[in-house]
Amino acid sequence: MEEDQYRETYNSVNELRCVYEKAINSRRCTCSASHRFNLADREGVSCQSKQGQQRCKIILELMRKKSSFALKLPETDGTPLPHAKEIKVQVGGLLGLQTLLFKEKEGADKVEDIDHILRTALEQYDEFSRLPYTEIVKSITNFKGRQRRSR
């Protein structure tokens, strides 16, 4: 399948794309509002909640902005980061948020339910801008993704 044709088909099949698709496809995160599907030989993730997707967009953009200096990146304009940095922000940020909200999850290497974590964060802090991003950014910078295999 040609790449342009794949993207066109993907966008028509996946009307509500999951913001944390990379994190979920990395098998480091799950979400009760997500739905996995296969298209050709690839996996995709859609969101089943318009409100949930909006929450995810807001916090991911805040995490990107707050961590840009620590990751030695220029200010982002809402565009995704290079893959490895994006995984670092998505998974590292969610792990940091999960630890912040649920102390018993400290040291966990997986995020159990993105939607639940974000709803809990809003209940405790009223809005995402009030979160202690210094703690979350520490988790982002300390996150180690999959190591390259030696050849």
Side-chain angles (χ1 to χ4, degrees), residues 44-109:
V45 183
S46 64
C47 186
Q48 297 179 325
S49 167
K50 184 78 171 156
Q51 288 178 325
Q53 186 196 43
Q54 285 305 109
R55 281 191 295 268
C56 289
K57 281 181 180 179
I58 291 167
I59 194 151
L60 182 57
E61 185 54 34
L62 282 167
M63 285 184 193
R64 284 179 184 146
K65 283 181 181 178
K66 301 290 186 180
S67 65
S68 63
F69 179 77
L71 296 175
K72 299 176 180 124
L73 294 169
E75 280 290 317
T76 62
D77 60 352
T79 58
L81 303 172
H83 181 77
K85 299 279 185 180
E86 187 69 25
I87 290 289
K88 206 168 176 66
V89 171
Q90 287 187 15
V91 180
L94 289 170
L95 285 169
L97 186 57
Q98 177 176 260
T99 299
L100 180 71
L101 299 171
F102 307 101
K103 297 295 183 205
E104 69 277 8
K105 304 276 186 197
E106 189 170 350
D109 64 344

